[in-house]
Every structure is written in C-alpha cells, then in structure tokens.
Amino acid sequence: MAELCEKCTTPLEDAGHCVTCEAEAEGLALVTRSGYASVREMMSLLEVEGLGPEMEKVPPARPEERGHPLWNLYVPREEAPRAVEFLRKDWAELLEDPEAAAAAARGQAGLDLDAGGDLTCPACGHVFAVRGGEEAECPECGLALGAPSNAAPDESQS
C-alpha cells in the first residue's frame, strides 16, 4: 500500500510529493477523484459552463490502480462553489429520471460472482443466471462482470 499524505490522504508520489496539496498550493480546489472517463466527462461539462477545470492522474494507492488509475478534477479555487453546484444540479436532474435512478441503484449494489444464481446486470438491468465461481458476462448488453474472488491474478486481469 502506498504512503498517504497526512493532510489529505492522497497517495504520495515516489519522491514523497502530494499532487493534491501541490495543486491546492497553486490555487486549485479538488472537486472530485474518480476514474478517467468520469473525470473527463465532468471536465467537459465544466468547460462548457465557462469554468477552467484541470485533471491530473493520482499515484496508485493499490496495485489495481496501476492499470486503472484515479484522476483528480480541479477548478480554480474561486470557481469551486460554482463547479460543485453545477455538478450537483447535473446529477440531480439525471436522477430525477426514474430509469437513471434505477441504473444508479444497480451500480451501487454489490455482485457476488462466487455465490452464483440470478444476477441483475448493473448496466442494463437484465436478470440472468450464473454458476458460482465463474466469470460472468451479461447476455443482453455484454458487460463483463469480472472474475470470481479466487481467480488467479492473470485471470482477474483479463
């Protein structure tokens, strides 16, 4: 496990620097930390709103973050309240849609591939049966749901 910043708990770079604290010292405020696609989408939305977002890769805290890193999304400190309010409003409008709210709930639900039985696809809501201890893929939308917990490291990476 990576060493964490004492101030903000961001994983430290090899040289012991904290990317989040350094950005803050440059006048930026952290809005969120997430995967690349989510951060890039939020950055685009904020740019359309006339804000000046920036994104930066976060050093990995866990081995799996080496292949799927997390990214910080920043805005200039004075734009932070406006950016946060805009993103809250954007998500609130999305979650007013019953289908979007159901999709968000599915995404939050845990999946136990080892148990087998009926699973509900987090992406499309299709219910299908899986055998315990095997990889699963939704027959409706093709979402790969990963490998069981006892998979060899090379199996869980595919």
Side-chain angles (χ1 to χ4, degrees):
M1 179 122 163
E3 186 178 346
L4 303 178
C5 175
E6 291 180 16
K7 180 180 176 191
C8 70
T9 69
T10 296
L12 299 176
E13 292 182 311
D14 291 337
H17 299 281
C18 175
V19 297
T20 305
C21 290
E22 288 176 356
E24 185 179 286
E26 294 172 9
L28 297 174
L30 178 67
V31 176
T32 191
R33 178 178 296 158
S34 191
Y36 179 83
S38 296
V39 169
R40 185 68 191 111
E41 179 182 1
M42 287 183 269
M43 184 172 171
S44 295
L45 291 170
L46 293 173
E47 287 172 337
V48 168
E49 287 298 304
L51 300 172
E54 296 182 27
M55 60 188 284
E56 177 177 37
K57 188 167 34 170
V58 177
R62 302 171 298 163
E64 52 270 17
E65 290 176 15
R66 293 190 198 292
H68 300 285
L70 295 176
W71 292 75
N72 279 348
L73 176 65
Y74 308 105
V75 292
R77 188 175 295 118
E78 64 277 2
E79 295 179 359
R82 187 170 152 216
V84 169
E85 181 60 30
F86 171 77
L87 291 174
R88 266 195 201 121
K89 183 177 180 228
D90 184 63
W91 279 101
E93 288 172 3
L94 177 64
L95 291 177
E96 286 177 7
D97 175 356
E99 289 182 26
R106 287 193 307 268
Q108 292 294 320
L111 295 175
D112 187 355
L113 294 177
D114 293 317
D118 286 346
L119 288 181
T120 302
C121 176
C124 71
H126 181 75
V127 178
F128 60 100
V130 296
R131 287 193 269 167
E134 293 184 2
E135 289 189 36
E137 183 176 297
C138 176
E140 185 70 22
C141 71
L143 178 69
L145 298 173
S149 63
N150 65 349
D154 61 330
E155 290 176 318
S156 61
Q157 298 295 321
S158 55

